[in-house]
Amino acid sequence: MSGGNLARPRLRFARRWAILSFSGLLTAFGGSALACAEEASSLDVAFAVAADRAPRPGERSIIVTGRSAATVDPDVELATDQSDDAPLEPIADVSEYESQFEPDLAEPAAGSAEPTLAEPPGDSQGSVATDEAVIDEFPSDEPMAFAEDAPAATQSPSELQTASFNGATPGVTTRAQLIKLWGEPLDDDMAAETLSFELPGFPQTIVDFDGERIASIRVELSEVIAAEDLSGRLGLTEFRSATMLDDMGSLVSTTYPERGVTYHHSPNLGEMASDDSAESDIEPTPVDAVCEIVIRAVGPEAFIDRAHSSPAKDYTHQIADLETALKLDPTNTDCRYYLSSVKLHVGALAEAEQLAAKAVEADPANDEYRLQWAKCLTRLARYNDAVEQTRHILEGKTAPDLVRAAALEEMGQLASLGSKEVQERAISLHNKAIELADKLAADNDVMVQASAHEVLLAAHLAVAERISAGDWQQKDEFVGQWITRASGIAEQMIAAGEADVAVRLQVAQSALMAGGRLSPPIDPKLWVAEAEQAVTELTPTLTDDAARKELNWELGLAYFHAAEIQHRRGESDLAVKYGEQAQSLLTAASATRAEYPDTDYVMGRVCFQLGAVHAVHRNDHRTACKWYDKACKPLLKPAPMTPLATPGHHGDALVSMGVSYWEIGLREKAYDLTEAGLELIEQGVSEGILANDATLVAQGNLTAMGQALGKVELSTPEPRMSESTVAEQRRTSPAVQEGRTNGQRQQTNVARRSNGETNVRRR
């Protein structure tokens, strides 16, 4: 298409959250923005260049002890010579210095190893509890001799059916029916809640009642038997089991929720034999030896327990179990809360929010439920609502310290999405979260310790990112210190078994984001290698497709940040390589993030980044526009402000794309893109997110294009008051006066975001 107006919606985004609410709350929890930075100064932070090459002037990489990382950020503009014609200035990020050496890129994970996906369970909802026995009755003639191996259950594993023992079924059989079947109990009071029976072949059989119906049957075996053998005989091998361990890691019980069957395991008697005897007659028992079987009516608790005992990233099975539990007991608020957490991981944001909201509705006093709701609202970019729920926790008096620390951290994350004034207060909230979580990290409860470490890790990384984005002195030093501390926390979590190596990927990604904002940006090589190593190590352990896609999305973001950094560093080949790796991983994983409001923006931004490398470093606008063609549609969709999507970057991308389309003759399209980009930037200015002069480059490009296309008169439009003031100050500055040589006025730094970053213009 060579002409015509580019169809696009009005870009009005959902960024108008309650800034007044933010301000009141943030004042209450204010503090020194770098209160923790002084403490961090005592930590060792090693800055070094890559070992395989000489350093470039002014370049440093942040090397974390035992790990390696690098990070950066600011919006950098492109510079150019000034011609007599009205300038068209792209705003794609690039640094001033040229690369002299090309560092070796860490090889990515071999083939991005993807193990075969475990088959997900079938629909785990079905008919519950009938009076038909699923497990064959135990024999009554010989002790522990099975009449025959029990055939596998005829129904599919998705059906729920309570097992029976000797004709009695918990939840179905009544007291009177049981006495008729088994005879009179050993107890005198036949109306008691618990009755004992003497059955041939079993030392003891105890039945608990709920009213007049059997609640559970506990059968003591005359001799232990290996769990695997017993499950085979009882036809339970087709089901997943839930295991419980004691504090020493010994197996206590194994449960099959679909049948309501639980094994109680016997301790290893051989290990318990007295050391005083030279020889013991007690032989070791199997590790999984079963000494007792308990049968209960199929219920939600066993499914919830199995979900908790599943591997942390086995999302498919966790969801299946929790949904089954919720169908069995729709009033179970704990189940709604846990299911909401898992749904959030797999990108089902709407369901996660609804589940959390219903949990809060059922139990308004539960601050943990409310915090989960706030997290869901934040992911959905419903920031007003998220602030309201988080503030409710912080202003209340009932929240446990752990929940309060996590709420402070959540509010800090929300503050970072506000206006510049609000963003400056985010660090004090993170510091408050750190102060509280640091005390909890020494708690005697290992679960509290683990949760406190999660808050500490998130808060340290958030502070590093906020410092890198702000106007702080020596911010490269402070960023390095906070990343170092975060890396130490991550390693402590791994060593304690609180987390897997995914936390290293989390640290690496934040380090790349923060390091990309430094000037000059860091060499991303070491952090990319760290991210790749974590994924290589973790991928073989994952059998869940959603978990693998979640991991690949995070690695894709690490590549994306690295591509932006290499673009700024002038390393065009590496920028393309990282960008293509990012596009491949993010595209494959994007389907699971369809409900995230910034997914389209991220996909468009990756394509834009690849196009910008060709336009800026290779002066190849036609190739650039091939990438921009892929970027246009997603970038022209409305997107709220998120940690990955900001109005400045969003608008700048559209303006820069307009330059390349102009160069290849698609001038109407170039004009429309530039106009759309200007609208975004203006909105960011009006909401206090961007500085008043952020529109100057976009406005200049649009005016020049409009004049060439006859859309505006050949005169400079009257700028807004704030822009006029800025322009006047710059016209009279010594730097501008020195820039006038040989009677020709050179382009000044009219659109720079920070000192030392010039606005470069492509020809």
Side-chain angles (χ1 to χ4, degrees):
M1 174 176 181
S2 59
N5 291 327
L6 181 65
R8 58 175 175 77
R10 297 285 295 178
L11 301 180
R12 290 291 177 248
F13 299 151
R15 287 201 213 89
R16 303 183 182 277
W17 51 88
I19 293 179
L20 290 179
S21 299
F22 263 137
S23 300
L25 180 61
L26 297 179
T27 300
F29 294 98
S32 172
L34 285 176
C36 289
E38 295 180 1
E39 180 184 351
S41 63
S42 62
L43 298 173
D44 293 332
V45 184
F47 291 89
V49 296
D52 60 347
R53 64 171 178 80
R56 300 185 183 87
E59 176 191 340
R60 294 187 293 182
S61 288
I62 302 174
I63 313 299
V64 174
T65 305
R67 299 283 148 215
S68 37
T71 28
V72 282
D73 154 292
D75 290 346
V76 190
E77 302 105 60
L78 302 175
T80 89
D81 299 329
Q82 173 70 20
S83 66
D84 292 333
D85 299 328
L88 299 182
E89 303 177 41
I91 316 179
D93 292 349
V94 66
S95 70
E96 296 176 293
Y97 72 89
E98 293 297 328
S99 128
Q100 300 173 12
F101 304 93
E102 179 171 309
D104 295 331
L105 176 64
E107 290 298 325
S112 294
E114 276 199 17
T116 305
L117 174 64
E119 289 295 328
D123 180 25
S124 55
Q125 285 78 44
S127 57
V128 181
T130 73
D131 56 0
E132 297 180 2
V134 176
I135 299 177
D136 278 359
E137 299 174 1
F138 288 96
S140 58
D141 52 347
E142 296 182 26
M144 270 314 295
F146 288 85
E148 60 178 304
D149 287 347
T154 55
Q155 70 275 13
S156 68
S158 64
E159 295 177 347
L160 310 182
Q161 188 177 44
T162 302
S164 298
F165 173 66
N166 276 4
T169 305
V172 176
T173 306
T174 65
R175 185 189 303 267
Q177 291 171 336
L178 178 66
I179 293 175
K180 184 177 180 180
L181 283 170
W182 291 5
E184 293 188 0
L186 301 176
D187 309 86
D188 294 333
D189 183 5
M190 288 192 293
E193 291 185 0
T194 300
L195 297 178
S196 299
F197 292 83
E198 184 176 3
L199 300 178
F202 303 100
Q204 191 174 33
T205 302
I206 299 175
V207 180
D208 293 321
F209 291 89
D210 181 8
E212 289 301 304
R213 291 189 183 274
I214 296 176
S216 68
I217 303 173
R218 189 162 71 251
V219 182
E220 182 181 343
L221 304 182
S222 59
E223 61 183 38
V224 298
I225 183 172
E228 184 177 357
D229 294 340
L230 182 59
S231 297
R233 297 183 186 186
L234 301 182
L236 299 176
T237 55
E238 59 189 322
F239 303 110
R240 290 184 301 116
S241 63
T243 57
M244 179 183 294
L245 307 178
D246 62 18
D247 293 339
M248 302 300 293
S250 299
L251 186 61
V252 174
S253 66
T254 301
T255 300
Y256 294 90
E258 286 84 356
R259 296 295 179 260
V261 175
T262 297
Y263 300 158
H264 288 170
H265 297 281
S266 175
N268 189 326
L269 300 180
E271 292 182 358
M272 297 176 63
S274 173
D275 295 335
D276 295 337
S277 59
E279 297 182 1
S280 174
D281 294 334
I282 302 178
E283 296 183 359
T285 56
V287 174
D288 62 349
V290 180
C291 62
E292 185 177 73
I293 298 176
V294 179
I295 305 173
R296 298 181 179 86
V298 171
E301 294 80 7
F303 288 96
I304 295 174
D305 289 343
R306 187 168 67 182
H308 285 318
S309 66
S310 298
K313 292 180 170 61
D314 190 2
Y315 301 136
T316 300
H317 285 146
Q318 290 173 10
I319 290 173
D321 282 339
L322 293 171
E323 287 182 340
T324 299
L326 199 56
K327 177 168 285 190
L328 292 171
D329 181 9
T331 65
N332 193 313
T333 53
D334 272 346
C335 186
R336 290 187 187 279
Y337 163 72
Y338 295 134
L339 183 55
S340 173
S341 299
V342 183
K343 289 283 189 179
L344 203 58
H345 277 291
V346 300
L349 304 189
E351 287 185 75
E353 187 273 330
Q354 292 170 6
L355 288 162
K358 289 183 179 179
V360 172
E361 181 182 2
D363 187 0
N366 192 309
D367 291 308
E368 194 170 5
Y369 295 170
R370 194 175 296 276
L371 179 59
Q372 172 63 19
W373 189 18
K375 290 179 180 179
C376 296
L377 293 168
T378 300
R379 303 302 186 279
L380 287 165
R382 290 170 55 183
Y383 300 130
N384 274 334
D385 296 333
V387 168
E388 180 182 354
Q389 298 308 319
T390 309
R391 186 175 57 195
H392 185 281
I393 298 170
L394 295 175
E395 291 180 348
K397 305 295 183 183
T398 61
D401 286 346
L402 187 58
V403 175
R404 188 172 186 82
L408 284 165
E409 173 56 23
E410 183 68 18
M411 187 62 85
Q413 298 287 353
L414 286 163
S416 69
L417 301 172
S419 66
K420 280 189 170 294
E421 180 183 0
V422 174
Q423 289 178 29
E424 291 174 357
R425 301 173 185 175
I427 290 181
S428 64
L429 285 166
H430 295 308
N431 280 338
K432 289 286 184 180
I434 290 171
E435 180 182 355
L436 189 52
D438 190 51
K439 298 176 182 177
L440 297 171
D443 194 274
N444 292 329
D445 189 331
V446 294
M447 299 301 293
V448 172
Q449 291 179 23
S451 297
H453 287 150
E454 290 180 8
V455 175
L456 287 170
L457 178 61
H460 278 72
L461 294 176
V463 171
E465 292 176 16
R466 294 318 314 154
I467 293 174
S468 69
D471 297 324
W472 305 101
Q473 294 181 353
Q474 299 177 313
K475 69 178 182 179
D476 55 344
E477 179 180 351
F478 285 123
V479 167
Q481 291 174 352
W482 283 94
I483 292 294
T484 299
R485 297 176 69 186
S487 183
I489 294 169
E491 294 307 311
Q492 183 178 350
M493 294 171 69
I494 294 171
E498 298 171 357
D500 55 34
V501 295
V503 293
R504 290 180 186 162
L505 176 59
Q506 182 183 354
V507 172
Q509 189 190 123
S510 286
L512 288 165
M513 177 181 285
R517 295 170 177 152
L518 302 178
S519 184
I522 59 160
D523 184 346
K525 175 183 174 182
L526 296 171
W527 283 121
V528 170
E530 178 87 335
E532 291 172 339
Q533 181 182 358
V535 172
T536 300
E537 184 175 340
L538 189 58
T539 298
T541 69
L542 301 178
T543 59
D544 189 272
D545 185 57
R548 291 200 303 270
K549 288 181 178 178
E550 179 187 45
L551 186 68
N552 286 336
W553 177 269
E554 298 302 319
L555 179 59
L557 289 180
Y559 283 136
F560 168 60
H561 296 315
E564 288 190 320
I565 291 173
Q566 295 293 28
H567 174 59
R568 290 190 57 204
R569 287 163 51 86
E571 301 274 8
S572 63
D573 291 341
L574 290 177
V576 169
K577 182 174 183 177
Y578 284 141
E580 290 177 345
Q581 288 175 314
Q583 189 206 24
S584 175
L585 288 174
L586 295 176
T587 299
S590 61
T592 62
R593 293 181 58 89
E595 293 186 31
Y596 277 82
D598 60 358
T599 297
D600 284 335
Y601 168 83
V602 171
M603 300 309 302
R605 180 77 189 186
V606 171
C607 293
F608 161 74
Q609 184 60 55
L610 284 163
V613 175
H614 290 281
V616 177
H617 298 293
R618 300 176 180 179
N619 199 29
D620 183 355
H621 294 284
R622 292 200 175 276
T623 301
C625 287
K626 291 179 180 179
W627 285 106
Y628 293 163
D629 288 342
K630 299 178 181 180
C632 278
K633 184 176 180 179
L635 287 182
L636 284 171
K637 292 181 179 180
M641 183 169 175
T642 72
L644 295 173
T646 64
H649 282 133
H650 200 164
D652 289 353
L654 295 174
V655 172
S656 292
M657 288 163 57
V659 175
S660 289
Y661 281 113
W662 185 269
E663 292 289 338
I664 67 171
L666 297 179
R667 298 195 162 190
E668 288 289 347
K669 186 171 186 177
Y671 183 89
D672 287 341
L673 285 170
T674 305
E675 185 179 31
L678 178 60
E679 286 183 16
L680 277 171
I681 298 171
E682 286 178 337
Q683 185 178 353
V685 172
S686 67
E687 294 178 354
I689 298 171
L690 300 176
N692 288 331
D693 62 349
T695 61
L696 293 180
V697 171
Q699 183 64 66
N701 284 7
L702 187 66
T703 299
M705 291 176 177
Q707 290 175 349
L709 294 172
K711 295 179 180 292
V712 297
E713 297 180 1
L714 297 179
S715 61
T716 303
E718 184 69 22
R720 295 175 303 183
M721 180 61 67
S722 58
E723 295 173 356
S724 176
T725 302
V726 172
E728 180 62 28
Q729 291 174 348
R730 289 179 173 166
R731 280 196 298 272
T732 58
S733 67
V736 174
Q737 297 298 329
E738 292 175 3
R740 301 174 186 271
T741 58
N742 299 326
Q744 184 177 14
R745 186 175 63 185
Q746 296 182 341
Q747 177 66 27
T748 60
N749 303 334
V750 293
R752 64 187 180 187
R753 302 288 187 270
S754 60
N755 291 335
E757 295 176 356
T758 57
N759 183 24
V760 186
R761 174 173 166 252
R762 294 196 304 261
R763 295 175 185 234

